[in-house]
Amino acid sequence: VVTIMASSKGGEKKRRAKPILINRLEGCTSVVNDAVAIPHEDGVISVSDDATIRVWLKRDSGDYWPSICHAAPCAASALDYDGSSQRLFVGLESGTIMEMVIADDFNRMSPKRNYSAHMSRVTSLIFSPDLNWLLSVSRDKYFQWHCTETGRRLGGFKADAWCTAVQLDPVTKYVFVADYAGHISVLKLEDQNLSLVTTLKGHSGSIRSLAWDPDQRLLFSGSFDQSIVVWDVGSQRGTALELQGHS
């Protein structure tokens, strides 16, 4: 767990900030695949290849300890959490997505629904509470689109390679699907119809993560080619930023 602090010198704050280590969350026995901070709480939710879903809360001692350690049927590979409804979605190695509700005291979770979304490991997922959509991608090369009110599948799209990350612009209903070949498929979802708008190509290696800036309408993609590309979605232009400090 880290926080970003502005450094100061001579009484004046410098613009450059640096991360400060607050604590380490230890206890998982295998790779931690995803983690999110709990809004308005000193807490974190994590999923791991050790098949655990853990809710970590900060104790009076200052350390984080699991208030929930839930055993999944197999490795848990991705998650998304909505703080307002306390709904948790967890993707599994098997391709199933589990929907659960976390109690107000964060001491228990109740299963709500399972989505048989994929045939292989879920690599990324997004829940949109405003649209009641669950979007997911997997190593089976598919993007899947589900309604969270009914649990019904609304549509899907097959990429040319493993799908690795997904992001959503809820205003325009554009979905960005990254894949192992280094491409980003831009999809339009509307009235239970799905169409491919364009494919963004700018990486020479597989894409690891995507981030969407709704204010600037910029898409960020990070790749194993050691670059970050900032995509101006409106003008379809990209700027490559070389990473420093990684090898």
Side-chain angles (χ1 to χ4, degrees):
V1 180
V2 298
T3 187
I4 305 297
M5 301 291 291
S7 60
S8 61
K9 186 175 181 181
E12 295 183 0
K13 286 187 175 180
K14 299 172 69 176
R15 289 188 177 182
R16 180 175 296 177
K18 66 177 184 178
I20 304 297
L21 177 66
I22 299 175
N23 214 317
R24 286 187 174 91
L25 280 59
E26 299 178 344
C28 295
T29 59
S30 189
V31 176
V32 175
N33 292 308
D34 209 347
V36 297
I38 301 174
H40 314 299
E41 293 284 340
D42 281 329
V44 175
I45 304 172
S46 67
V47 294
S48 169
D49 272 347
D50 66 7
T52 62
I53 304 164
R54 299 174 190 250
V55 178
W56 309 78
L57 294 182
K58 189 175 182 180
R59 307 302 182 179
D60 293 338
S61 64
D63 294 326
Y64 287 80
W65 290 93
S67 61
I68 299 174
C69 183
H70 180 84
C74 56
S77 53
L79 73 88
D80 197 13
Y81 175 69
D82 176 51
S84 59
S85 63
Q86 299 187 190
R87 296 167 76 180
L88 174 66
F89 297 82
V90 177
L92 302 179
E93 177 76 25
S94 64
T96 297
I97 299 174
M98 303 167 59
E99 179 182 353
M100 292 167 286
V101 178
I102 297 180
D104 292 338
D105 60 4
F106 295 99
N107 283 319
R108 65 189 185 281
M109 61 174 64
S110 304
K112 184 176 180 180
R113 178 183 285 123
N114 284 349
Y115 300 82
S116 299
H118 297 278
M119 299 298 291
S120 187
R121 183 183 181 97
V122 179
T123 51
S124 181
L125 58 88
I126 289 179
F127 167 55
S128 172
D130 296 328
L131 298 171
N132 290 308
W133 286 355
L134 175 63
L135 311 177
S136 60
V137 294
S138 166
R139 288 183 179 177
D140 64 5
K141 302 183 181 180
Y142 271 94
F143 159 80
Q144 299 288 13
W145 171 26
H146 286 83
C147 172
T148 55
E149 286 185 313
T150 64
R152 188 166 62 91
R153 179 181 179 274
L154 299 177
F157 169 81
K158 187 177 181 180
D160 294 330
W162 283 359
C163 296
T164 56
V166 63
Q167 278 292 326
L168 166 69
D169 177 7
V171 176
T172 62
K173 299 180 182 177
Y174 282 135
V175 174
F176 309 97
V177 177
D179 65 37
Y180 195 77
H183 303 154
I184 302 171
S185 300
V186 182
L187 309 176
K188 175 70 172 181
L189 308 186
E190 193 169 24
D191 298 329
Q192 300 186 24
N193 292 317
L194 182 155
S195 59
L196 176 64
V197 177
T198 189
T199 301
L200 306 178
K201 299 179 181 180
H203 288 288
S204 60
S206 62
I207 297 173
R208 177 64 182 87
S209 60
L210 294 175
W212 173 249
D213 182 342
D215 297 322
Q216 301 296 321
R217 303 202 70 247
L218 298 174
L219 179 69
F220 299 82
S221 57
S223 168
F224 283 105
D225 65 10
Q226 298 185 341
S227 72
I228 297 172
V229 175
V230 184
W231 301 92
D232 184 336
V233 174
S235 64
Q236 297 185 1
R237 291 182 299 178
T239 302
L241 306 176
E242 292 297 326
L243 291 177
Q244 300 295 326
H246 292 277
S247 60

